[in-house]
Amino acid sequence: MPRLPQLAEDSTGLLDETRRQLGRVPNLYAALANGPAALAGYLAMRDHLTRGVLTPRLREQLALLIAQENSCTYCVSAHTLRATRMGLTPDELARTRDASDTDPHADAVLRIARAVVRDRGRVGDRELTDARAAGVSDAELAEIVAHVALNTLSNYFNHLAQPELDFPEVAA
């Protein structure tokens, strides 16, 4: 049972903005709408990051990896479905959840993101050097940290709110 109500209506238009960005209003967003400032901030950051340098595939892989690292079944389930619809295979999904990819650049992005999550941003010189050697740019590094922040927000909020799962369940 959800710990916070999942709003169906809001006077701020944020649920309409959610529908615009995602095509629907997942229960996570309906619960986050209880705090309009939190939902507005989340949506704004998400919207800006969609126009960044990271590809849609890498953004989705980051969301799945971060959800896995944060043990968020809701988000692992949601991003497994989204990544599958983007064409990721079961093997690619498993690799992503383990911070690896057959493409060296994507592999480096996932590895540095996992280091950011696990080390709370205190990434060692070796990890940073390895990422740069694989072609990860400074712009990508900035966006990787932003994606960690964005997805950690949704993961932690899910832990708190426990919205009803509205995706096929995939355990984190």
Side-chain angles (χ1 to χ4, degrees), residues 21 45-67 79 82-83 86 88 96 106 109-110 113 140 143-144 146-148 150-151:
Q21 285 190 27
M45 188 171 190
R46 184 191 177 284
D47 187 48
H48 284 283
L49 287 173
T50 65
R51 296 187 296 259
V53 296
L54 294 171
T55 65
R57 179 186 171 102
L58 270 175
R59 293 193 309 264
E60 197 56 44
Q61 286 181 281
L62 285 169
L64 179 57
L65 169 65
I66 296 159
H79 293 292
R82 286 178 55 101
M86 292 177 81
L88 274 76
T96 294
V109 166
L110 294 172
E140 289 173 315
E143 288 185 23
I144 289 164
H147 279 280
V148 168
L150 179 72
N151 287 283

Side-chain angles (χ1 to χ4, degrees), residues 32-170:
L32 193 54
N34 284 286
L39 180 55
Y42 180 91
L43 290 172
M45 188 171 190
R46 184 191 177 284
D47 187 48
H48 284 283
L49 287 173
T50 65
R51 296 187 296 259
V53 296
L54 294 171
T55 65
R57 179 186 171 102
L58 270 175
R59 293 193 309 264
E60 197 56 44
Q61 286 181 281
L62 285 169
L64 179 57
L65 169 65
I66 296 159
Q68 180 66 42
E69 287 294 311
N70 287 323
S71 302
C72 182
T73 294
Y74 184 99
C75 293
V76 166
S77 300
H79 293 292
T80 294
L81 179 64
R82 286 178 55 101
T84 299
R85 288 180 177 168
M86 292 177 81
L88 274 76
T89 67
D91 181 60
E92 290 169 324
L93 292 168
R95 284 177 173 274
T96 294
R97 291 173 67 175
D98 193 37
S100 95
D101 196 285
T102 57
D103 174 76
H105 180 261
D107 186 72
V109 166
L110 294 172
R111 282 186 289 113
I112 196 78
R114 182 173 63 185
V116 168
V117 171
R118 289 184 175 179
D119 300 329
R120 293 180 172 89
R122 293 180 182 93
V123 175
D125 291 341
R126 180 71 182 160
E127 289 91 353
L128 188 57
T129 299
D130 289 349
R132 286 187 167 137
V136 178
S137 71
D138 291 343
E140 289 173 315
L141 289 167
E143 288 185 23
I144 289 164
V145 174
H147 279 280
V148 168
L150 179 72
N151 287 283
T152 298
L153 186 160
S154 64
N155 299 161
Y156 286 10
F157 184 74
N158 274 304
H159 296 320
L160 172 79
Q162 297 178 0
E164 183 180 326
L165 185 61
D166 47 347
F167 302 97
E169 184 171 348
V170 179

